[in-house]
Amino acid sequence: MKIAFDLRPLQIGHQNRGIGAYILNLLQQLPNEANTTFIFLRYNTSNPITDFGIGEGRNYIDVVVKKKGFSRHPVKLLSYAFSNLVPDFSKVLRHRPDVFLQCDYLLGAPRSRRCKVITVSYDLIPFKLKEIYLPSWKKYFGYRQIRYRSRVRLMLHAWFYDKKYKNGLRLLKRSARIISISENTTKDLVEVGGIKKSSIATIYPAASFRSEAQDNTIREDIKNLVDSTKTPYIAYVGATDRRRQVDELIHAFNLYNAYQKPIGLLLGGNEFSANSKSLNPAAKKAITTSSYKDNIHMLGRITEAEKRYILEHAAVFIYPTTYEGFGLPILEAMDAGCPVITYNNSSIPEIAGKAALYTKAEGGYEIYQTLNTLLEDDQLQATLRKQGNLQAKKFDWADSVSQIWSEISKFQR
């Protein structure tokens, strides 16, 4: 059997996000059978096969394609857009794969009667929250307060991503099988995507702090910060896009420091780096204007080992998100024995069950109240640590991969 697997998500930033964690855990545990050949598709910019030890002990074919870079030059820009909207999979199809497994539907998949496409769907958030993620290009037409060139750039950007996501939805619709990561995502695929439920298999991923080939050590500054702190701290690891209400978390942090006791805040993730240009403006303003900003520590990108170390020693993990396809950070915190406070929406109750404290997205005051309740009750903390650990164990990668392999094997000729 020949299985084509798109590794390009590991080369465009997803290696440090949920998609990357999913791909690496999946590949780590997929069976290595003698009659199976993997066809790994990657860009020429790096080699995730060796970077992450993906090819070790496997029979595989390495297919390398050139990555077209973004350019402001009209001809090159057109070529860049075309390569993204109409991707070429001829190099993969030459090897006659039985199955093409795509873990990022925005990257596309080949069209071939011989090759069956299996697509993993994490969520349909861009379609659920369209005003945030997929605003119409027409919205920018009347922006007279900005220069004409900037307006045109915004319009083209919006048009491009609208097309790209619609192409992604079409890919989901033509896939032979869709792997959905939660019942909530399955519901969205049916109701929002118009996809038949019979073509969807709901298979939960799991929490796991995978080992990274390049480094398993903990940064000295992080270890010193965690070990030397004399006050409890809140942990947050993740992004700061608009559905993650980091500003509300910081408001709750300010209130606790003002009315209760000193507490720290550790922020981990690519966007929490010095001079980061991708930090959400609301989050940035909340951090820089906080009266307790000396107790806020932005750690930048952290490794899996560092993430676990931070969560194991945190008083609480707070995840203020307005929508999730699964909620992997919540499960990772529970797996590390860290109490969780989060919002009650989308897939979160499905994943966290009764092992988290839920609150409403209302400016941060309810987070503060829940945080105060938790930190004043040692018994509640101990209960949540225990319940969270048990909840995390309900999700198992070995079981998930076994189910995914069963779906792949259905298309073996």
Side-chain angles (χ1 to χ4, degrees):
M1 186 180 190
K2 289 184 178 180
I3 304 169
F5 202 114
D6 197 339
L7 298 181
R8 293 177 299 163
L10 299 175
Q11 299 175 280
I12 56 175
H14 290 311
Q15 61 269 32
N16 302 318
R17 302 186 186 119
I19 293 178
Y22 187 96
I23 291 171
L24 291 169
N25 280 297
L26 175 57
L27 282 170
Q28 191 176 43
Q29 300 199 44
L30 274 177
N32 187 19
E33 297 182 354
N35 65 340
T36 301
T37 299
F38 286 89
I39 303 165
F40 291 133
L41 173 64
R42 65 179 177 91
Y43 286 126
N44 61 339
T45 52
S46 63
N47 191 348
I49 299 172
T50 54
D51 290 347
F52 297 102
I54 290 167
E56 290 178 8
R58 293 191 186 279
N59 180 24
Y60 70 90
I61 299 167
D62 186 12
V63 176
V64 183
V65 294
K66 186 177 180 180
K67 186 178 188 297
K68 290 188 182 292
F70 178 81
S71 172
R72 294 185 186 276
H73 187 279
V75 175
K76 291 181 179 179
L77 181 60
L78 187 62
S79 176
Y80 169 81
F82 185 81
S83 68
N84 275 271
L85 297 177
V86 190
D88 180 13
F89 292 95
S90 58
K91 282 191 174 183
V92 172
L93 292 176
R94 284 175 199 165
H95 300 283
R96 299 174 66 82
D98 300 297
V99 171
F100 185 94
L101 185 59
Q102 179 57 272
C103 293
D104 182 355
Y105 68 87
L106 293 184
L107 292 175
R111 288 180 178 272
S112 169
R113 290 182 181 179
R114 188 183 187 280
C115 178
K116 301 298 183 183
V117 175
I118 297 178
T119 309
V120 178
S121 178
Y122 308 94
D123 58 65
L124 287 184
I125 289 171
F127 297 99
K128 291 281 292 186
L129 308 176
K130 202 166 183 178
E131 283 303 308
I132 295 176
Y133 294 99
L134 292 176
S136 170
W137 63 269
K138 296 175 185 177
K139 173 183 177 181
Y140 302 106
F141 186 76
Y143 273 31
R144 304 296 178 186
Q145 65 270 34
I146 60 176
R147 295 189 319 173
Y148 176 74
R149 279 189 179 182
S150 298
R151 259 186 290 156
V152 171
R153 195 175 297 122
L154 287 169
M155 288 163 65
L156 288 173
H157 184 274
W159 174 87
F160 173 75
Y161 277 97
D162 179 69
K163 292 292 183 186
K164 196 169 184 179
Y165 274 97
K166 283 178 179 175
N167 282 353
L169 187 57
R170 280 192 282 269
L171 169 58
L172 288 169
K173 288 181 177 180
R174 70 176 173 88
S175 296
R177 200 72 171 143
I178 299 171
I179 307 295
S180 166
I181 64 170
S182 69
E183 289 293 348
N184 186 74
T185 294
T186 297
K187 180 170 71 73
D188 285 347
L189 286 166
V190 174
E191 295 178 359
V192 179
I195 296 166
K196 292 180 181 179
K197 193 170 183 179
S198 58
S199 66
I200 306 168
T202 303
I203 302 174
Y204 293 113
S208 76
F209 298 88
R210 57 179 173 78
S211 60
E212 295 186 89
Q214 66 270 31
D215 190 10
N216 258 332
T217 60
I218 297 168
R219 241 165 55 199
E220 190 175 342
D221 62 321
I222 290 177
K223 195 169 191 313
N224 289 341
L225 180 64
V226 171
D227 293 351
S228 64
T229 183
K230 295 178 182 178
T231 57
Y233 65 84
I234 301 163
Y236 174 83
V237 179
T240 65
D241 57 287
R242 285 171 61 184
R243 65 191 163 95
R244 273 65 178 266
Q245 307 293 321
V246 176
D247 54 319
E248 295 189 1
L249 162 59
I250 293 168
H251 181 53
F253 160 82
N254 291 338
L255 289 172
Y256 193 88
N257 273 284
Y259 295 110
Q260 302 304 325
K261 304 171 186 175
I263 194 168
L265 175 59
L266 270 60
L267 302 171
N270 291 356
E271 293 166 32
F272 296 109
S273 301
N275 303 316
S276 171
K277 293 181 180 179
S278 53
L279 185 62
N280 180 284
K284 184 176 182 179
K285 183 179 179 182
I287 292 167
T288 55
T289 59
S290 171
S291 299
Y292 307 95
K293 60 185 175 185
D294 288 345
N295 288 341
I296 300 175
H297 304 278
M298 297 201 298
L299 307 177
R301 181 187 178 272
I302 55 176
T303 66
E304 298 292 306
E306 289 161 354
K307 185 199 302 181
R308 185 169 190 100
Y309 192 77
I310 290 164
L311 291 172
E312 284 176 339
H313 293 83
V316 59
F317 175 75
I318 299 180
Y319 200 60
T321 178
T322 57
Y323 209 92
E324 292 293 314
F326 182 76
L328 183 60
I330 293 169
L331 211 58
E332 288 177 335
M334 289 179 170
D335 191 55
C338 184
V340 171
I341 295 174
T342 187
Y343 292 156
N344 188 354
N345 60 56
S346 56
S347 63
I348 295 173
E350 179 186 348
I351 305 307
K354 297 179 180 179
L357 295 179
Y358 297 103
T359 184
K360 295 177 183 177
E362 292 182 355
Y365 186 72
E366 282 210 13
I367 298 177
Y368 158 67
Q369 289 181 308
T370 309
L371 176 64
N372 189 34
T373 300
L374 174 66
L375 297 187
E376 290 297 312
D377 191 335
D378 291 343
Q379 183 59 48
L380 178 58
Q381 293 173 50
T383 299
L384 283 178
R385 290 181 191 277
K386 184 178 179 180
Q387 287 181 343
N389 207 255
L390 292 172
Q391 181 70 11
K393 284 180 170 53
K394 293 178 182 178
F395 301 83
D396 180 71
W397 264 115
D399 182 50
S400 301
V401 173
S402 176
Q403 293 179 63
I404 293 169
W405 184 251
S406 176
E407 295 295 333
I408 294 171
S409 299
K410 290 175 182 178
F411 303 106
Q412 183 173 8
R413 284 194 292 272

